Amino acid sequence: MKSRHFLQLVGLSALWGASFLFIRVAVPEMGPLVLAGCRVALAGLTLALIMRGLKQQWPWRYWRELLLMGGLSVAVPFLLYAWAGLRLPAGYSALLNTTAVLFGTLASSWFKEDTLTARKLLGCVCGFIGVGLIVRLGPVRPDAATIAAALACVLAAACYGCSTPLMKRATTRMQPLAIAAGIHAGAMVLVLPGALWAWPQATFTPTGMAAVLVMGVVTSGLAYWAHLRIIRHVTPVAAMSPVFLIPVFGVTWGHLFLGEELSSGIFVGGALVLLASALVTGFNPLRRNPPVP
């Protein structure tokens, strides 16, 4: 992996880490269905305007593929994480979200898009431990609602993991911008009925609407486009490495903007997360690329 791709992935993790903060602000007011619907609609509109400005064509002939990827990578995870956020502490959601790398590793090996190695599995283990130290998990009551929310997070992570090799394959036939816009259009078809049904029960405040606006335009629309541009040049598992870094930035943003106390394990956990990212991606800043013959 080249240094610029690794740094771009770190930047994406900073954006996606901020989305946890915005979800905490908006979901109690709007509810999971309306929040997911607004987020997808804003992302799709943003990408559609960019496509129009760049005069790119919509890949309608791949609509079945885009609908599948839209459900796996956008619609289902957005709904599940928003629903779990009402029942499960954010630290547990962040930790369970890291299982997406493990699911992505297995799925990429199954689809022959990547190889399953001991180094990558070791990176997954280091990442889980590091995130656990960072979020400093507190006690929760193991009732049915908590278990259901935890399973929802794992299912959302599995969707992310399984969709990444599919998006890697799609980049060989479509432009990253067209894929990003297409999957959000497909996701909109899936989430729109539920959002319209729950709309009368939702409340809207300036703070909540601002949070959704940033999530839709930046952390969803533009971030997905950037992520797909990176996927064209790296393996699917390497492209998922920001998942380990997301809790680091999530805790940091919470400390800076919400005044949350930093956990005692953030430095050790952060070092383990960086090690995990290096193991999974194969990135080594000290190694020079061999000359091209």
Side-chain angles (χ1 to χ4, degrees), residues 8-33:
Q8 289 169 1
L9 289 172
V10 173
L12 282 176
S13 67
L15 291 177
W16 286 330
S19 66
F20 281 96
L21 182 149
F22 296 132
I23 289 175
R24 288 177 54 193
V25 172
V27 73
E29 302 173 359
M30 299 182 183
L33 295 174

Side-chain angles (χ1 to χ4, degrees), residues 192-276:
L192 181 61
L196 294 176
W197 176 78
W199 193 271
Q201 290 77 38
T203 58
F204 300 91
T205 64
T207 303
M209 293 174 64
V212 174
L213 180 64
V214 176
M215 278 194 293
V217 175
V218 181
T219 67
S220 296
L222 298 179
Y224 268 72
W225 179 22
H227 194 225
L228 282 159
R229 287 168 61 92
I230 299 173
I231 286 179
R232 300 182 75 179
H233 304 286
V234 301
T235 65
V237 176
M240 295 196 66
S241 60
V243 171
F244 287 135
L245 294 169
I246 286 173
V248 178
F249 287 102
V251 171
T252 302
W253 301 146
H255 173 70
L256 293 177
F257 296 105
L258 298 180
E260 295 180 348
E261 183 181 355
L262 290 178
S263 65
S264 58
I266 187 171
F267 300 105
V268 177
L272 284 173
V273 163
L274 291 175
L275 174 61

Side-chain angles (χ1 to χ4, degrees), residues 17-292:
S19 66
F20 281 96
L21 182 149
F22 296 132
I23 289 175
R24 288 177 54 193
V25 172
V27 73
E29 302 173 359
M30 299 182 183
L33 295 174
V34 175
L35 173 60
C38 292
R39 186 178 178 183
V40 172
L42 288 169
L45 177 61
T46 300
L47 294 168
L49 291 175
I50 296 175
M51 285 194 67
R52 183 178 179 85
L54 298 179
K55 297 181 180 180
Q56 287 197 19
Q57 299 295 322
W58 286 81
W60 294 122
R61 59 174 175 166
Y62 300 109
W63 68 269
R64 294 182 179 86
E65 185 178 356
L66 293 170
L67 185 63
L68 174 62
M69 290 189 295
L72 286 176
S73 65
V74 178
V76 175
F78 283 9
L79 287 170
L80 289 176
Y81 277 122
W83 180 81
L86 295 172
R87 298 162 175 81
L88 197 67
Y92 283 88
S93 298
L95 177 61
L96 294 171
N97 183 52
T98 60
T99 60
V101 181
L102 179 59
F103 286 114
T105 301
L106 298 175
S108 299
S109 177
W110 177 268
F111 286 109
K112 307 299 183 183
E113 292 291 338
D114 207 342
T115 55
L116 184 63
T117 64
R119 188 198 73 225
K120 293 174 183 176
L121 292 177
L122 178 61
C124 291
V125 173
C126 291
F128 298 153
I129 297 174
V131 172
L133 292 173
I134 291 168
V135 300
R136 194 175 58 178
L137 302 180
V140 296
R141 181 179 300 176
D143 54 17
T146 302
I147 295 174
L151 292 176
C153 290
V154 174
L155 179 58
C159 290
Y160 277 138
C162 293
S163 66
T164 303
L166 296 178
M167 289 192 289
K168 172 69 175 180
R169 287 187 175 183
T171 58
T172 62
R173 300 184 300 276
M174 294 175 273
Q175 292 295 320
L177 178 58
I179 299 173
I183 62 177
H184 280 89
M188 191 61 199
V189 174
L190 300 175
V191 302
L192 181 61
L196 294 176
W197 176 78
W199 193 271
Q201 290 77 38
T203 58
F204 300 91
T205 64
T207 303
M209 293 174 64
V212 174
L213 180 64
V214 176
M215 278 194 293
V217 175
V218 181
T219 67
S220 296
L222 298 179
Y224 268 72
W225 179 22
H227 194 225
L228 282 159
R229 287 168 61 92
I230 299 173
I231 286 179
R232 300 182 75 179
H233 304 286
V234 301
T235 65
V237 176
M240 295 196 66
S241 60
V243 171
F244 287 135
L245 294 169
I246 286 173
V248 178
F249 287 102
V251 171
T252 302
W253 301 146
H255 173 70
L256 293 177
F257 296 105
L258 298 180
E260 295 180 348
E261 183 181 355
L262 290 178
S263 65
S264 58
I266 187 171
F267 300 105
V268 177
L272 284 173
V273 163
L274 291 175
L275 174 61
S277 300
L279 290 172
V280 169
T281 61
F283 173 68
N284 184 356
L286 302 178
R287 182 179 56 200
R288 300 183 60 182
N289 293 328
V292 179

